[in-house]
């Protein structure tokens, strides 16, 4: 947590504060140093004042970055002075981190990652939708620059809620690695959508529509065939994602070699890339060997020295006299 906040101080809070307090180079340099160094001590002090759980670490840093980008984008779109843009950026970053700390107190790490993934998916979906509705940005008609920023921001906040609701209400366990693989599904789905229209000389709006539909379909497929079946750790999720990327690269290479077409955006090449990504995911899953999904676990007293874990699926297995040992209730202290 301290490391992530220090990076935010060096790359986001510091520059925003420097732009906010003045225009003189010496003033800005001094302001940057004060904020960048002060962020470390503020974050370190917070670790003494509250328990920094994995969920709080995830949300505070991720929401801090997203708040920073949102504030900066709104300032640029509004064409305000550098000081005002710096203030918007700083408020967005610090506000996002603070909200992340508040929201992460009662969440698991998987719920926190799913919350951030929900935000990102809805932001990109809204960006594609606004582009489809009004592709001619800056022509004086249609959506204003401010609207193009505000709409994804509002959608992003809805995405936070949707991601949290998904992970919290799903009848199966959504781990941090599982949630990361929803992004992988969106990527493969977008690749498949591009394959469908690649040979039809599509317009930019058609490309955005294909990416949107394919990406959302890929998220559904990842949930249906990966998240519901396995419980991935973060390292296992990262390994599967790398396998999908490596398979996609191999598919692009094979597509070019077989078709003799150097255009990496042609239909056959994109089709090989999609198939390669799917094959890479399957091979990486075999290598990672993640645990099968054990059903939703209800955790009580996470912040206390003791921890009670109830596994409904184990109770069902015991009731049906399935062979093996079934831990219905686990108490760790």
């Amino acid at each position: 947590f301290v490391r992530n906040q220090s990076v935010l101080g060096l790359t986001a809070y510091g520059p925003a504060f420097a732009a906010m307090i003045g225009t003189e180079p010496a003033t800005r340099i001094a302001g940057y140093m004060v904020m960048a160094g002060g962020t470390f001590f503020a974050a370190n002090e917070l670790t003494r004042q509250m328990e920094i759980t994995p969920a709080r670490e995830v949300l505070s840093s991720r929401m801090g970055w997203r708040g920073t980008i949102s504030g900066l984008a709104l300032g640029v779109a509004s064409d305000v002075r550098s000081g005002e843009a710096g203030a918007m950026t700083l408020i967005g970053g610090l506000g996002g981190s603070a909200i992340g700390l508040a929201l992460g107190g009662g969440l698991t790490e998987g719920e926190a990652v799913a919350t951030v993934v929900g935000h990102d998916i809805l932001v990109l979906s809204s960006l594609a939708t606004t582009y489809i509705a009004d592709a001619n940005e800056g022509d004086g008609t249609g959506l204003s620059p401010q609207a193009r920023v505000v709409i994804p921001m509002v959608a992003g906040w809805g995405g936070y809620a949707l991601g949290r609701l998904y992970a919290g209400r799903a009848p199966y366990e959504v781990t941090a690695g599982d949630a990361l693989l929803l992004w992988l599904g969106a990527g493969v789905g977008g690749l498949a959508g591009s394959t469908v229209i690649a040979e039809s000389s599509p317009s930019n709006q058609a490309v955005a529509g294909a990416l949107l539909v394919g990406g959302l379909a890929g998220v559904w497929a990842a949930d249906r065939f990966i998240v519901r079946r396995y419980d991935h750790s973060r390292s296992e999720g990262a390994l599967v994602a790398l396998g999908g990327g490596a398979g996609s690269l191999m598919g692009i290479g094979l597509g070019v070699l077989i078709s003799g077409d150097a255009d990496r955006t042609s239909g056959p090449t994109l089709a090989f890339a999609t198939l390669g990504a799917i094959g890479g995911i399957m091979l990486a899953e075999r290598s990672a060997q993640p645990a099968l999904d054990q059903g939703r676990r209800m955790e009580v007293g996470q912040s206390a020295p003791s921890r009670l874990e109830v596994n409904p699926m184990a109770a069902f297995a015991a009731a049906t006299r399935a062979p093996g040992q079934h831990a219905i209730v686990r108490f760790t202290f």
Side-chain angles (χ1 to χ4, degrees):
F1 168 76
V2 174
R3 179 201 63 204
N4 291 340
Q5 288 298 313
S6 297
V7 171
L8 273 166
L10 289 168
T11 57
Y13 305 154
F17 183 71
M20 182 183 72
I21 63 172
T23 58
E24 294 294 328
T27 302
R28 289 189 169 185
I29 291 173
Y32 171 83
M33 291 180 174
V34 169
M35 177 57 72
T39 300
F40 166 80
F41 293 103
N44 194 50
E45 179 62 23
L46 275 174
T47 63
R48 299 177 61 248
Q49 302 297 327
M50 66 170 62
E51 180 186 9
I52 305 298
T53 63
R56 277 179 166 160
E57 182 272 316
V58 167
L59 285 180
S60 63
S61 60
R62 274 47 165 201
M63 292 182 73
W65 278 114
R66 284 152 182 78
T68 297
I69 294 170
S70 296
L72 178 61
L74 187 59
V76 172
S78 302
D79 197 22
V80 297
R81 293 179 299 179
S82 62
E84 294 170 344
M88 295 169 120
T89 304
L90 184 62
I91 291 171
L94 291 176
S97 288
I99 294 172
L101 283 173
L103 293 180
L107 304 184
T108 65
E109 186 179 16
E111 290 170 341
V113 176
T115 299
V116 176
V117 171
H119 166 274
D120 294 347
I121 289 175
L122 252 68
V123 165
L124 292 179
S125 298
S126 65
L127 284 172
T129 302
T130 56
Y131 188 81
I132 293 170
D134 180 22
N136 298 317
E137 182 178 0
D139 63 353
T141 63
L143 296 173
S144 65
Q146 293 83 358
R148 290 179 179 273
V149 174
V150 171
I151 291 173
M153 284 177 59
V154 174
W157 282 104
Y160 281 131
L162 186 62
R164 168 67 183 92
L165 184 66
Y166 158 73
R169 296 293 181 86
Y172 43 89
E173 186 73 8
V174 180
T175 64
D178 292 340
L180 288 173
L181 291 178
L182 294 175
W183 256 126
L184 179 63
V188 177
L191 196 59
S194 301
T195 303
V196 173
I197 64 170
E199 297 297 322
S200 60
S201 300
S203 65
N204 290 335
Q205 288 173 298
V207 172
L211 290 173
L212 174 62
V213 174
L216 293 178
V219 171
W220 174 85
D223 171 73
R224 178 67 180 81
F225 298 108
I226 298 179
V227 176
R228 297 189 186 205
R229 295 185 178 184
Y230 304 105
D231 284 339
H232 296 85
S233 65
R234 294 188 73 169
S235 60
E236 289 168 346
L239 179 64
V240 173
L242 286 173
S248 179
L249 289 176
M250 291 181 65
I252 293 173
L254 287 174
V256 172
L257 290 174
I258 293 175
S259 65
D261 189 351
D263 185 2
R264 289 166 292 180
T265 59
S266 65
T269 302
L270 290 176
F272 275 108
T274 304
L275 293 175
I278 295 173
I281 291 171
M282 296 174 64
L283 290 174
E285 286 283 12
R286 289 186 60 187
S287 175
Q289 295 185 339
L292 295 177
D293 188 87
Q294 298 297 313
R296 181 152 187 83
R297 294 188 293 270
M298 295 176 290
E299 298 176 358
V300 182
Q302 291 181 355
S303 61
S306 61
R307 178 176 173 182
L308 177 67
E309 185 178 291
V310 183
N311 191 338
M313 291 299 294
F316 175 77
T320 56
R321 297 186 178 182
Q325 296 181 347
H326 312 288
I328 301 173
V329 179
R330 180 179 291 119
F331 185 70
T332 306
F333 55 92

